[in-house]
Amino acid sequence: MARRLVIIGGDAAGMTAAAQARRMVSADELEILAFERGSRTSYAACGLPYLIGGLVEAPADLVARTPEEHRAKGIDVRIRHEVTAIDTQTATVTVRNLDTGQESVTHYDELLIATGASGITPPWPGIDAEGVLQLRTLADAAKVEQALAAGTRHAVVVGAGYIGLEVAENLLARGLAVSVIEKLDAPMGAVLDADMAVAVTDAMRSAGIDLRLGTSVTGFTVSDGRVTAVETEAGPVKANLVVIGLGVRANSELARAAGIAVGESGGIIVDDHLRTGAPHVWAAGDCVESRHRITGRGVVLALGTHANKQGRCAGTNIAGGEATFGGVLGTAITKFKHLEIARTGLTEREAAAAGLDAFAEITEASSRAGYYPGAQSMRVKVVAERQTGRLLGAQIVGGEDAGKRIDVLATALWNGMTVHEMSGMDLSYAPPFSPVWDPVLLAAGKAASKL
Amino acid sequence: MARRLVIIGGDAAGMTAAAQARRMVSADELEILAFERGSRTSYAACGLPYLIGGLVEAPADLVARTPEEHRAKGIDVRIRHEVTAIDTQTATVTVRNLDTGQESVTHYDELLIATGASGITPPWPGIDAEGVLQLRTLADAAKVEQALAAGTRHAVVVGAGYIGLEVAENLLARGLAVSVIEKLDAPMGAVLDADMAVAVTDAMRSAGIDLRLGTSVTGFTVSDGRVTAVETEAGPVKANLVVIGLGVRANSELARAAGIAVGESGGIIVDDHLRTGAPHVWAAGDCVESRHRITGRGVVLALGTHANKQGRCAGTNIAGGEATFGGVLGTAITKFKHLEIARTGLTEREAAAAGLDAFAEITEASSRAGYYPGAQSMRVKVVAERQTGRLLGAQIVGGEDAGKRIDVLATALWNGMTVHEMSGMDLSYAPPFSPVWDPVLLAAGKAASKL
């Protein structure tokens, strides 16, 4: 008889694991049963801002694989089925059919928890009003579309992080008046040091966004059940549509209730094979905490790229293969209009908080040879350890072709390189692509010269 | 009394060394005297194709620093002065003033040979005819401009390597009929494996270039001292302008004549501090052979990025500092119209020639999330060692944002990573910048799956 793999969550981590296990082991040996409480599987949440902006044409474009397509590949997906309990003693899960309300108990030989993450929702008065939402699902995007169709003119985005920037840009593209309210004194406060965030502030304001920094939200004004304003310590801001972008927390309650260890970060604790503390129970994706390669600490980083890698890794191990997840660097990238924003490793502030003796250097550089048309300027900030010169992190803010250079720094960081050695690397050069000293070499060299 | 540093050659390597030494040591301690046989210093030869194409407006845009500017920085530059001999016994050089013909002998305490490279000029009948040239100097570019002003309509480029492609693209942009004649069966034969060059062939022909592969030049038809056709084994090709782009050889004769060791590659042999075999004699830039980090062999790679790094390294050491040059990977990039072409490390063919047990995988990938507008396709070829999975090299051919990804692979290669480890790296992801699996991760993962 076939062993049974039960997967909780039908998105990136869960379905990547399912597909990987299916590739390795036939249905005769391994039955794969995935429960998804929503109505969709495998969709690209990262594309939602661009869907509401109109750059992505149809919701279906964001669905990588439908439940039917998974079933055709030999993966039994049950949508609108929520797992309400895990019993690691009997190796069973309790599942509720959300359409019928019926509950059933299902046995597993292997269990993968891939429950994802949820947007943080502060207990602000009025947060349940119509017109206040998160942008986490296609249903959320549909609500934005309805609000626009109903003639919404004033939008407020709460939080100037990744999602805040992306939503603000796309609502602006739809012709709305957009305010962004941020508690900290700079946008991208969890991403960039303040000295690198200045360009983001400038770009947002130049684009016409009413950016309110150092401003705390206290609640919402609601009329007939609909939001009409965001209340802040500095007074109200008119809004018919509010998008909350305050980051996420791991969906680890189900695991915690089953006695599976959850870390201080709120993510499920897993080893490098993505095993939880319970036998035959694995976890992957936004619901786990990952090891940060520089600090060694457990962190929750809800990002599709980690979810996919972890899904593949868990699927391989569950299928009897051997794979490890190497940890994270906190590499990330986004853009606001033409401004590209990227980071990897630790910011200067994070390095100090981690107790590292770090220093930082900012380098102004050009994306191309100065004489070649279209050269864009960028700022590269390198954070390194004072005694050894070991790279600890980097940030890039600049024009076209700036952002993806972070991957070179991430690769150097992954390998534990010093800024001195980095400055001598053999990177590609031709006038349309970089100055003779690529910005990465220039930044590493400048940092090395300060050692 | 100040010690004297004599530099032979006033371009990238020589003048970077001069500037670096000047920053570290004052003129009271170190006199810096540079001899340049041409009329210019520190100009960007890599920009010459774009100057003739009109993308770069004026020759002066390519001059990073004039002789006057160097002098203002305390570096005594003598243009139109050619060093004709080095005597390492007496520590002197013989210098000829090319304007007056006068020769003099100058003592050095330290000598840096930075004589660069020259274009390869086969002994084809008619190669000295008017209208046949290399594109190595601003004077060459001026000759092209004169030919265009005189109404030249038919250009032939001999050689489909970097310079051939760049010149062909730019002459095409000026409205000429352009033929490219290449001895090998594919363009970029020294750069790409044949299976990666197909896209280059297609792009050249689609752009309207008459690309003649597998065709050997035998000479030139000359009328009244001017070229009228290129003769090939397959018949004549009409031409009023011929640009030879067959690569370069190191200018190492002066060193060789002085008894300084020159390698099989034709480049001057230097250690990792850029010392030659003779006391107090250093060499840097296109005239030296560099250690290839993968094969361990000495190679001549005439590229501004190496010349600059070596110049800085030599300048530091000459000034009493401590710097080493870490070797090369053969990383390079160029473009033809919208097609980006890049490579690092060894091609499959080069790996086999080096006696390595290598395998290769080609991956088709997209520059952005598939649903995000403007996604461009690319092909990434990864060459790895069969037993260990160690990366040996990579090639990328594709649309916008494809080429510079080579730097991630070059950084991985520099660190001796395996394709398996590479496939788990934390690279940046957001829909406008990459699919959830960046092409580099995808390519490394596909190669790892074949181990």
Side-chain angles (χ1 to χ4, degrees):
Chain A
M1 209 179 77
R3 290 159 64 237
R4 178 187 288 161
L5 164 61
V6 169
I7 297 174
I8 312 175
D11 218 321
M15 300 319 288
T16 301
Q20 177 70 4
R22 184 78 304 153
R23 267 194 290 275
M24 293 174 66
V25 184
S26 76
D28 296 342
E29 286 180 59
L30 185 73
E31 176 193 353
I32 304 179
L33 182 55
F35 297 109
E36 164 57 44
R37 63 182 175 184
S39 305
R40 311 239 188 196
T41 53
S42 307
Y43 71 90
C46 339
L48 291 171
Y50 306 101
L51 177 64
I52 64 170
L55 273 174
V56 176
E57 286 188 17
D61 294 346
L62 296 183
V63 178
R65 199 169 275 183
T66 63
E68 293 70 31
E69 287 167 331
H70 284 299
R71 284 185 207 116
K73 294 269 183 186
I75 297 161
D76 186 0
V77 180
R78 313 268 173 93
I79 56 169
R80 308 257 321 133
H81 279 66
E82 181 167 14
V83 173
T84 56
I86 300 166
D87 186 333
T88 61
Q89 297 300 313
T90 58
T92 57
V93 293
T94 304
V95 186
R96 180 185 296 142
N97 179 327
L98 296 179
D99 290 324
T100 65
Q102 277 193 314
E103 285 206 343
S104 58
V105 172
T106 298
H107 171 73
Y108 64 77
D109 293 292
E110 305 290 338
L111 177 67
L112 175 63
I113 305 173
T115 42
S118 296
I120 290 169
T121 310
W124 290 325
I127 198 162
D128 294 328
E130 220 177 309
V132 180
L133 50 84
Q134 310 245 355
L135 190 60
R136 300 277 308 158
T137 64
L138 287 168
D140 295 333
K143 283 184 204 162
V144 172
E145 209 53 57
Q146 285 156 20
L148 292 173
T152 288
R153 297 292 313 137
H154 293 89
V156 168
V157 177
V158 181
Y162 292 104
I163 189 80
L165 253 68
E166 292 168 3
V167 168
E169 175 183 349
N170 281 287
L171 290 176
L172 206 63
R174 293 291 294 271
L176 272 70
V178 179
S179 301
V180 175
I181 302 176
E182 167 60 47
K183 192 172 64 178
L184 302 176
D185 290 331
M188 304 298 276
V191 177
L192 301 176
D193 286 318
D195 50 11
M196 293 294 283
V198 177
V200 181
T201 301
D202 292 348
M204 292 176 78
R205 290 192 169 142
S206 300
I209 284 178
D210 167 34
L211 174 62
R212 301 181 180 214
L213 297 171
T215 303
S216 291
V217 170
T218 55
F220 304 92
T221 311
V222 180
S223 172
D224 288 338
R226 279 204 64 87
V227 69
T228 58
V230 179
E231 306 287 346
T232 77
E233 287 173 342
V237 185
K238 189 175 177 182
N240 314 118
L241 173 67
V242 179
V243 181
I244 311 276
L246 294 172
V248 300
R249 53 173 187 71
N251 290 336
S252 53
E253 304 82 1
L254 191 65
R256 194 194 297 269
I260 294 166
V262 171
E264 277 180 38
S265 68
I268 300 167
I269 296 175
V270 288
D271 68 11
D272 65 354
H273 283 65
L274 299 174
R275 281 182 287 246
T276 69
H280 303 289
V281 182
W282 313 74
D286 295 358
C287 63
V288 308
E289 69 172 32
S290 301
R291 185 179 62 90
H292 194 290
R293 286 175 69 94
I294 308 304
T295 63
R297 293 192 190 144
V299 291
V300 172
L301 288 174
L303 208 55
T305 180
H306 304 316
N308 271 270
K309 285 193 203 94
Q310 292 180 340
R312 185 178 67 172
C313 176
T316 299
N317 290 326
I318 290 168
E322 162 70 25
T324 55
F325 181 70
V328 298
L329 295 170
T331 311
I333 190 168
T334 190
K335 71 180 198 64
F336 179 81
K337 308 269 286 186
H338 297 297
L339 191 71
E340 302 185 355
I341 303 156
R343 55 83 46 92
T344 189
L346 306 180
T347 61
E348 191 176 3
R349 200 182 54 243
E350 288 168 343
L356 290 158
D357 184 14
F359 74 104
E361 274 297 315
I362 292 178
T363 302
E364 304 273 350
S366 167
S367 64
R368 300 176 176 177
Y371 54 80
Y372 195 91
Q376 302 281 316
S377 67
M378 69 182 83
R379 306 183 84 203
V380 183
K381 181 168 182 173
V382 163
V383 181
E385 196 169 46
R386 200 178 296 275
Q387 293 303 311
T388 62
R390 180 172 65 110
L391 181 69
L392 296 174
Q395 298 155 62
I396 301 176
V397 177
E400 195 185 1
D401 298 336
K404 258 295 186 178
R405 280 178 158 95
I406 204 70
D407 287 351
V408 181
L409 292 146
T411 304
L413 188 58
W414 187 276
N415 286 285
M417 292 184 86
T418 65
V419 288
H420 184 78
E421 191 181 3
M422 285 171 63
S423 72
M425 286 197 301
D426 185 2
L427 302 186
S428 61
Y429 159 62
F433 296 98
S434 73
V436 69
W437 294 97
D438 187 90
V440 171
L441 299 177
L442 210 58
K446 189 170 172 198
S449 75
K450 298 298 166 73
L451 278 173
Chain B
M1 207 180 80
R3 289 158 64 236
R4 179 186 288 161
L5 165 60
V6 169
I7 297 174
I8 312 175
D11 218 322
M15 299 320 286
T16 301
Q20 177 71 3
R22 184 78 302 153
R23 267 193 292 274
M24 294 173 66
V25 185
S26 75
D28 295 342
E29 287 180 60
L30 185 73
E31 177 193 353
I32 304 179
L33 182 55
F35 296 109
E36 164 56 44
R37 63 182 175 184
S39 305
R40 311 240 188 194
T41 53
S42 306
Y43 72 91
C46 340
L48 291 171
Y50 307 101
L51 178 63
I52 64 169
L55 273 174
V56 176
E57 286 187 15
D61 294 344
L62 295 184
V63 178
R65 200 169 272 183
T66 63
E68 293 69 31
E69 288 167 330
H70 284 298
R71 282 184 208 117
K73 294 269 182 186
I75 297 160
D76 186 1
V77 179
R78 313 268 174 93
I79 56 169
R80 308 257 319 134
H81 279 66
E82 181 168 14
V83 173
T84 55
I86 300 166
D87 186 333
T88 62
Q89 297 300 313
T90 58
T92 56
V93 294
T94 304
V95 186
R96 179 184 298 142
N97 179 327
L98 295 179
D99 291 325
T100 65
Q102 278 194 315
E103 284 206 345
S104 58
V105 172
T106 299
H107 171 75
Y108 62 79
D109 294 291
E110 305 291 338
L111 176 68
L112 174 63
I113 305 173
T115 42
S118 296
I120 290 169
T121 310
W124 290 325
I127 198 161
D128 293 328
E130 219 177 309
V132 180
L133 50 85
Q134 310 246 353
L135 190 60
R136 300 275 310 158
T137 65
L138 286 167
D140 294 332
K143 284 184 204 161
V144 173
E145 210 54 57
Q146 284 157 20
L148 291 173
T152 287
R153 297 293 313 138
H154 293 89
V156 168
V157 177
V158 181
Y162 292 104
I163 190 79
L165 253 69
E166 292 167 3
V167 168
E169 174 183 350
N170 282 287
L171 290 177
L172 205 62
R174 293 293 293 271
L176 272 70
V178 179
S179 301
V180 175
I181 302 177
E182 167 60 47
K183 191 172 64 176
L184 302 177
D185 290 331
M188 304 299 274
V191 177
L192 301 177
D193 286 316
D195 50 11
M196 292 295 284
V198 176
V200 182
T201 301
D202 292 348
M204 292 176 78
R205 291 191 168 143
S206 300
I209 285 178
D210 167 32
L211 175 62
R212 302 182 179 212
L213 298 171
T215 304
S216 291
V217 169
T218 54
F220 303 92
T221 311
V222 181
S223 170
D224 288 339
R226 279 204 65 88
V227 68
T228 58
V230 179
E231 306 286 345
T232 77
E233 288 174 340
V237 184
K238 189 173 176 183
N240 315 118
L241 174 66
V242 179
V243 181
I244 311 277
L246 294 171
V248 299
R249 52 173 187 71
N251 290 335
S252 53
E253 303 81 0
L254 192 63
R256 194 194 296 268
I260 294 167
V262 170
E264 277 181 37
S265 68
I268 300 167
I269 295 175
V270 288
D271 67 12
D272 65 355
H273 283 64
L274 299 175
R275 282 182 285 246
T276 69
H280 302 288
V281 182
W282 313 73
D286 296 357
C287 63
V288 309
E289 68 173 30
S290 301
R291 184 179 63 88
H292 194 291
R293 286 175 70 92
I294 309 303
T295 63
R297 294 190 189 147
V299 291
V300 171
L301 288 173
L303 208 55
T305 181
H306 303 316
N308 271 270
K309 285 194 202 94
Q310 292 179 341
R312 186 178 65 171
C313 176
T316 299
N317 290 327
I318 290 167
E322 163 70 26
T324 55
F325 181 71
V328 298
L329 295 171
T331 311
I333 191 167
T334 190
K335 71 179 197 65
F336 179 81
K337 308 270 286 186
H338 297 297
L339 191 72
E340 302 186 357
I341 304 156
R343 56 86 42 96
T344 189
L346 306 180
T347 61
E348 192 176 3
R349 199 182 54 243
E350 289 168 342
L356 291 158
D357 184 14
F359 74 104
E361 274 295 315
I362 292 179
T363 302
E364 305 274 349
S366 166
S367 65
R368 300 176 176 178
Y371 55 79
Y372 195 90
Q376 302 281 316
S377 67
M378 69 183 81
R379 304 183 85 202
V380 183
K381 181 168 183 174
V382 163
V383 182
E385 196 170 46
R386 201 178 295 275
Q387 292 303 311
T388 62
R390 180 171 64 109
L391 181 68
L392 297 174
Q395 298 155 62
I396 300 177
V397 176
E400 194 185 2
D401 299 336
K404 257 293 185 179
R405 279 179 158 96
I406 204 71
D407 287 352
V408 181
L409 291 146
T411 304
L413 188 58
W414 187 276
N415 285 285
M417 291 184 86
T418 66
V419 288
H420 185 76
E421 190 181 4
M422 286 172 63
S423 71
M425 285 197 302
D426 186 1
L427 303 186
S428 60
Y429 159 62
F433 296 98
S434 72
V436 69
W437 294 96
D438 187 90
V440 171
L441 299 177
L442 211 57
K446 189 171 173 198
S449 74
K450 299 297 166 72
L451 279 172

